Amino acid sequence: MKLGMLILAVVIFLVALCLLPAFFRWRRQQRELKKKLLSRLSNRSDRLLYSLEMVSDRYMARDTKIFLIEYLLSITTQLVASNYKSEFVSKQAYLLRLLTELKLGRQVTVKDRVASQEQLDKIQNALQFMLRELRSMGESYGASRVIIRHHIVLIRYAHALAYRDLLVRQARLDLDNDKKNRALEKYRIALSVMEKNSSVSSSKREMARLQSMIQEVEKVLFSKNSKVELK
């Protein structure tokens, strides 16, 4: 009986001894996987912050900016709890200060407008990245789909507004060069872009301004055409 127990104990010991390397290997793989996931999360969050800083306050709704900064702060808390250090984690104090200034209305707003195709491409790339992060945020952040949807609509509007600004700038250059037909076409495209985002309240003001611009150009063009016909 005692011999049988001894043999069993030896067998269990040998099995455990054989399994130990596999167990330690599994633990090492889990640590490496966790490190990769945290690194990816840190890098994505840093890029999101960079995107936020790149986009002018003309295009970035204050509520959306606050929402995204609160999300980024939750990520820094998660990374600190996991004892993960990175350049992004070191920006936690900066994010807290930025959030406080935004909520108190103390942050200086910069409302620069898109002035070139290159600027538009950069801003739209930043906004596209924000959209991707917002779409994947629900499960990880715990935000409701209604709130996520609200901010997605505002980011899409920002995308359209940036395009509208470039079209208007180009149209004004066309007017300066006496190319009224081309200017009119750009104003009309800008209006159609705004009309697709009419659910955002501020789009009404932009549409009214564009309609006024279109009427002014049409008035000049129709007047010119009438004179030509009379001749």
Side-chain angles (χ1 to χ4, degrees):
M1 183 70 176
K2 289 182 178 180
L3 181 61
M5 292 294 293
L6 181 61
I7 292 172
L8 180 61
V10 170
V11 170
I12 292 173
F13 174 75
L14 290 173
V15 170
L17 198 62
C18 292
L19 291 176
L20 273 176
F23 172 73
F24 287 124
R25 186 164 57 251
W26 175 80
R27 282 193 61 184
R28 185 176 67 253
Q29 289 171 345
Q30 291 301 306
R31 284 196 299 267
E32 289 174 354
L33 178 60
K34 183 179 179 180
K35 188 176 180 180
K36 285 181 181 178
L37 291 173
L38 291 173
S39 175
R40 190 179 305 160
L41 182 60
S42 176
N43 291 337
R44 277 173 44 206
S45 299
D46 205 25
R47 185 178 171 187
L48 180 57
L49 176 58
Y50 174 75
S51 298
L52 270 173
E53 292 173 331
M54 179 187 293
V55 178
S56 164
D57 292 314
R58 170 164 169 77
Y59 309 119
M60 202 73 240
R62 178 175 170 272
D63 287 349
T64 301
K65 200 169 185 179
I66 288 173
F67 177 79
L68 291 175
I69 290 172
E70 287 177 337
Y71 166 73
L72 290 173
L73 277 168
S74 75
I75 298 299
T76 62
T77 301
Q78 182 181 333
L79 294 172
V80 169
S82 299
N83 200 30
Y84 183 84
K85 296 179 181 180
S86 68
E87 186 178 347
F88 171 69
V89 174
S90 68
K91 296 175 183 177
Q92 188 178 47
Y94 164 71
L95 287 167
L96 278 168
R97 185 173 68 253
L98 186 59
L99 181 62
T100 301
E101 290 174 353
L102 275 168
K103 287 186 172 181
L104 295 176
R106 293 177 181 171
Q107 192 194 31
V108 177
T109 57
V110 180
K111 296 196 173 184
D112 294 339
R113 299 191 181 204
V114 168
S116 68
Q117 184 64 48
E118 183 181 2
Q119 285 182 337
L120 178 65
D121 291 342
K122 287 180 179 179
I123 285 177
Q124 290 191 335
N125 285 337
L127 293 171
Q128 285 289 356
F129 184 76
M130 290 183 207
L131 281 175
R132 286 198 297 272
E133 291 301 294
L134 279 165
R135 289 190 182 106
S136 63
M137 197 180 289
E139 295 180 2
S140 59
Y141 187 43
S144 72
R145 298 314 303 172
V146 173
I147 292 174
I148 295 292
R149 176 65 184 169
H150 169 69
H151 293 297
I152 286 175
V153 168
L154 291 177
I155 293 292
R156 284 176 176 164
Y157 174 71
H159 197 283
L161 186 59
Y163 184 37
R164 172 260 180 222
D165 284 350
L166 181 60
L167 286 168
V168 168
R169 180 180 176 82
Q170 291 173 342
R172 284 173 180 163
L173 290 173
D174 287 335
L175 288 174
D176 290 341
N177 293 314
D178 199 27
K179 297 176 180 177
K180 296 180 180 61
N181 283 312
R182 286 177 57 177
L184 182 59
E185 182 183 1
K186 289 185 174 71
Y187 282 145
R188 285 173 173 170
I189 294 171
L191 179 59
S192 69
V193 168
M194 287 293 99
E195 286 173 341
K196 290 175 183 176
N197 293 270
S198 58
S199 61
V200 178
S201 59
S202 56
S203 68
K204 307 294 187 298
R205 182 177 64 253
E206 297 295 341
M207 285 189 287
R209 291 180 64 194
L210 286 164
Q211 286 165 348
S212 177
M213 294 173 189
I214 289 169
Q215 288 170 3
E216 287 179 11
V217 178
E218 285 178 338
K219 191 184 297 181
V220 174
L221 277 173
F222 293 154
S223 174
K224 184 178 178 181
N225 291 337
S226 297
K227 290 178 181 178
V228 171
E229 287 175 4
L230 288 171
K231 288 180 181 180

